[in-house]
Amino acid sequence: MKRKRKFELYLLRSLFALGIILFFPLIRKKPAIQMNEWIIIFFIKSYISSLLDTVVTKKGFVTYPVRLFKIFNISVLFNFLLFPLSCVYYNQLTKNSSLPGILTKSLFFSVPMAFFEDILEKNTKLVKYKKGWNSFISFFSITITFLFVRGIISVIRFLNKNPSSSNSKNDQPDRSG
C-alpha cells in the first residue's frame, strides 16, 4: 500500500510540475490587455472551481484521500492551478470563435479532463466518487464552468470595446468656462 501511495504522491507532484511548465508560456511578454484577461480568467476559474469543489466535498459527493496539501479537503492542485490554466488556454483558443466553435472546443478540454479524472477515480485514491457522483456529472460540471467563464470574459471584452456613452462624456474636460 505504501508503494501505491508513493506513486500517487509522485503523480500529484508531476501534475504540479506540468502546471508550472504550462504557466510559463502565459507569462512571457504579452500585451497588457491580454495579460489582464488571462489573470481575470485564471482567478475567476479558481474561485468558481474551489467554491463548487468545497460544496461537493462538504456534501460528501467527492473526496480526495491523497492530497498534496492535507489541510484542505479540496483538490488545491486542480482548483488553483490545472483547471484555471486549462481555462486560460481554452479562452485563448476560442477568443475569435463562433458559438458552435466555442461549444465544440469546450469538449476538447472537458472530455479529456473528465476521462482522466475517471481513470484516477478507478485506479488511485486521488479522487473518490460517492453518493451517486460519477464521471458524467464531473464532465458536465467541467464543461459548464468552462462555458460560464468564457461567457464572463466575453461580457468583459464587450464592455471594454463599447464603453457607455455616458462614461465617455464624463471623461471629457469641461470647457464651458
Side-chain angles (χ1 to χ4, degrees), residues 115-149:
F115 180 72
F116 186 65
E117 184 178 288
D118 186 59
I119 290 171
L120 292 177
E121 197 277 333
K122 290 178 180 170
N123 298 302
T124 71
K125 291 186 178 185
L126 296 178
V127 60
K128 289 296 170 194
Y129 300 153
K130 297 179 178 184
K131 297 183 178 181
W133 194 272
N134 58 45
S135 301
F136 180 74
I137 296 170
S138 285
F139 160 75
F140 183 73
S141 63
I142 290 168
T143 303
I144 293 300
T145 58
F146 272 124
L147 295 173
F148 182 72
V149 173

Side-chain angles (χ1 to χ4, degrees), residues 67-85:
R67 300 180 302 271
L68 279 180
F69 306 102
K70 302 237 183 252
I71 59 172
F72 299 101
N73 290 331
I74 63 173
S75 176
V76 173
L77 177 62
F78 183 73
N79 291 318
F80 294 108
L81 183 63
L82 299 175
F83 207 15
L85 278 175

Side-chain angles (χ1 to χ4, degrees), residues 163-175:
S164 68
S165 58
S166 63
N167 286 342
S168 61
K169 286 180 186 175
N170 291 337
D171 291 341
Q172 296 175 0
D174 183 18
R175 297 174 196 224

